[in-house]
Amino acid sequence: MKFSELNLPPNILKALEKMGYDEMTPIQEATYPIIFAGHDLCALAETGSGKTAACAIPLIQKVDPSLDAIQGMVLVPTRELCMQYVAEIQKIAAKTDVITYAVYGGFDKAAQIARIKQGVHVLVATPGRLIDLLYEGILSFAQVKCAILDEADELLKVGFLEDIEFIMSCILHEHQTLLFSATMPDDIKKLAHDCLCNPQYISLITNRAAPESIEHYFTYIHPKQKHAELVKYLEGEEVSQVLIFCNARHKVDTLFRSLRKDFNDIDYIHAGLTQDKRSSIIRRFRNQKIRYLIASDVAGRGLDFSHVSHVINWDMPRDGEQYMHRTGRTGRMGKKGKAFTFVTKHDLSLLNKLIHTKKISPCWLGKDPLSENIKPGQRKKQKRRRPFLRPFSKGRKKTEQEKET
Ligand code: ADP
Ligand code: MG
């Protein structure tokens, strides 16, 4: 269905035309009538399927620009996503009088306060900075009609949950709540339901959770061989841009120091950098000034990079959700993308779970440890019988993954 077939105000339609949005994506088509009608909603759709605009278009329509108050509130888990989200709403609202603004940590709070005081209709925020502003009495949510949690399952995890509950408790009157994500683990579903009032559920994630556009490569390897293998792999690939994920900041630093000997145009990002540096890296990566970006999971969710051809999991993601989000930085909007994951023998049970729960069809570069019956439950038995065949068993250094946990 085309946007022109909706009864959209001409100023929104014109902005969408300018952005090159003609056909609605399936999640946009499925959720528009529900959001427009004012229902609470939990919507799931694969990475890169247009969830931002699915929320933003009806949200802008709901705002009354003549009322000088925050009417829409969007919560996102990271600063970079906050900036990206606000940019998308601002583009869609460009020809309207709706004012959208983002508040996030690492940026001058006084400047943010001054801007809010001038009037904002839609506020996009990370939870920490929003709570600061709420405590300081800067914000009023008395007119909020619509609250959106993007990457909702992440926001409802232990680290964020209390913050989210506090923020939502500040909206005292009746309002609409929308949750969006590409993943919703079972243990979070109940929390999601508790945030909503008579909700509708839309899930476009049916048989396989990953977009069809992504090919999933894996290699079973000793940790010490990862570096050589990565260089060989990337040199043999037609690479546009590459995102390489590690499980911790210090691993990002270490990998950067070693890989920059092999590649030019390489940089890194994690939450230990200043916000200025983080923003500049994301900008340079978007402008293709950086070809290889080594990242922690600060870049693992929501960020829209259209030129990423390859996502590398240097470290095996901790669960299926993290795998889906990381790899979803490529293969967006139907473009082709490749994911390449290093699997060490300590990752086998995670891998088994990942492949089965997320219904991934793995392409193995080299041997497939799962088909060779190196199943996690069986390894101990084999180890006891033939200890002399395993040079790494005695005095073995802990793998990176083990140190982490
Ligand atoms: P998601 O949140 O589902 O991961 P995004 O909202 O980040 O996806 O959108 C992914 C990409 O698709 C963005 O580059 C966005 O500009 C583009 N996009 C969204 N909706 C449309 C549309 N209807 N037509 C064309 N491109 C779209
Ligand atoms: Mg998104």
Side-chain angles (χ1 to χ4, degrees):
M1 186 174 176
K2 288 183 186 299
F3 284 109
S4 54
E5 293 169 58
L6 294 178
N7 215 357
L8 288 174
N11 48 6
I12 295 185
L13 206 52
K14 269 192 208 133
L16 292 174
E17 263 169 39
K18 197 168 171 216
M19 293 164 77
Y21 292 12
D22 176 29
E23 287 281 336
M24 301 175 88
T25 67
I27 192 66
Q28 291 165 356
E29 197 172 326
T31 55
Y32 182 83
I34 298 172
I35 302 176
F36 190 73
H39 298 292
D40 278 13
L41 170 71
C42 177
L44 304 182
E46 63 189 25
T47 49
S49 59
K51 295 188 287 294
T52 320
C55 289
I57 296 167
L59 173 67
I60 295 162
Q61 267 185 284
K62 282 168 190 282
V63 170
D64 171 5
S66 67
L67 177 66
D68 179 14
I70 298 171
Q71 297 166 54
M73 182 201 64
V74 183
L75 286 173
V76 295
T78 65
R79 298 168 182 182
E80 285 71 21
L81 192 48
C82 199
M83 289 180 240
Q84 177 182 294
Y85 210 109
V86 82
E88 175 93 344
I89 304 187
Q90 281 169 347
K91 273 192 241 161
I92 299 170
K95 295 181 193 301
T96 72
D97 294 323
V98 175
I99 298 165
T100 309
Y101 186 60
V103 291
Y104 48 86
F107 186 81
D108 184 9
K109 195 156 62 172
Q112 290 178 345
I113 291 172
R115 183 65 196 79
I116 289 167
K117 285 186 174 161
Q118 285 171 20
V120 169
H121 299 117
V122 176
L123 192 68
V124 186
T126 51
R129 178 55 56 95
L130 190 68
I131 287 180
D132 277 358
L133 297 173
L134 282 167
Y135 278 153
E136 290 185 25
I138 306 298
L139 299 173
S140 162
F141 283 169
Q143 301 288 343
V144 168
K145 299 174 192 162
C146 185
I148 295 167
L149 270 57
D150 189 42
E151 306 293 342
D153 55 331
E154 178 73 6
L155 290 174
L156 296 172
K157 277 188 191 151
V158 176
F160 276 124
L161 183 61
E162 264 187 33
D163 290 355
I164 302 302
E165 283 173 343
F166 173 73
I167 293 166
M168 298 303 276
S169 74
C170 294
I171 313 174
L172 298 171
H173 55 281
E174 207 176 298
H175 60 280
Q176 181 180 24
T177 304
L178 311 173
L179 310 186
F180 272 77
S181 190
T183 51
M184 187 56 72
D186 287 341
D187 54 333
I188 308 281
K189 273 186 190 148
K190 163 96 178 55
L191 293 170
H193 184 80
D194 291 347
C195 287
L196 302 168
C197 177
N198 296 327
Q200 307 253 345
Y201 288 92
I202 297 277
S203 176
L204 301 188
I205 291 165
T206 45
N207 195 17
R208 38 178 293 156
E212 293 274 348
S213 52
I214 304 177
E215 289 174 320
H216 299 269
Y217 291 90
F218 292 83
T219 192
Y220 184 56
I221 198 161
H222 186 278
K224 283 189 178 153
Q225 291 163 354
K226 280 195 207 173
H227 183 123
E229 187 64 25
L230 178 61
V231 173
K232 195 175 96 192
Y233 173 75
L234 289 177
E235 281 175 355
E237 286 288 302
E238 213 168 284
V239 158
S240 171
Q241 277 187 302
V242 186
L243 250 174
I244 305 168
F245 284 103
C246 300
N247 284 358
R249 290 179 199 180
H250 70 272
K251 291 187 203 171
V252 172
D253 293 333
T254 312
L255 189 59
F256 173 67
R257 279 197 295 273
S258 68
L259 277 186
R260 73 175 169 187
K261 294 176 195 129
D262 302 287
F263 299 106
N264 296 322
D265 312 334
I266 187 162
D267 219 321
Y268 69 101
I269 186 165
H270 57 56
L273 303 178
T274 63
Q275 189 51 45
D276 274 356
K277 177 90 179 148
R278 276 166 66 168
S279 304
S280 133
I281 300 243
I282 293 290
R283 197 168 45 245
R284 286 172 49 230
F285 193 58
R286 282 227 162 90
N287 296 336
Q288 293 181 274
K289 300 275 188 289
I290 300 170
R291 188 190 280 256
Y292 305 93
L293 185 62
I294 306 171
S296 70
D297 281 288
V298 76
R301 271 196 184 239
L303 296 183
D304 185 51
F305 302 118
S306 40
H307 300 286
V308 172
S309 53
H310 294 71
V311 169
I312 312 288
N313 286 306
W314 175 262
D315 293 314
M316 182 81 184
R318 292 191 186 91
D319 53 35
E321 281 70 38
Q322 197 174 43
Y323 180 88
M324 304 307 298
H325 287 284
R326 284 181 178 183
T327 56
R329 295 319 97 213
T330 186
R332 298 177 72 74
M333 273 285 142
K335 281 192 178 178
K336 291 268 169 239
K338 286 184 182 177
F340 179 59
T341 302
F342 286 109
V343 179
T344 68
K345 63 178 177 177
H346 306 284
D347 303 323
L348 290 177
S349 60
L350 264 175
L351 174 78
N352 211 354
K353 212 169 145 199
L354 167 74
I355 284 173
H356 290 105
T357 57
K358 298 297 170 195
K359 301 193 174 63
I360 289 188
S361 318
C363 307
W364 282 96
L365 300 178
K367 69 175 175 184
D368 167 358
L370 297 180
S371 78
E372 293 186 9
N373 274 343
I374 314 176
K375 288 190 181 134
Q378 295 177 356
R379 275 187 300 139
K380 271 193 177 162
K381 259 190 189 167
Q382 289 171 357
K383 274 182 186 174
R384 267 186 225 119
R385 260 189 270 135
R386 306 175 67 187
F388 48 89
L389 284 183
R390 292 171 302 102
F392 310 116
S393 63
K394 211 178 162 196
R396 177 178 60 85
K397 273 194 190 161
K398 278 191 168 186
T399 64
E400 293 171 341
Q401 181 96 30
E402 283 173 304
K403 274 188 216 159
E404 264 289 277
T405 46

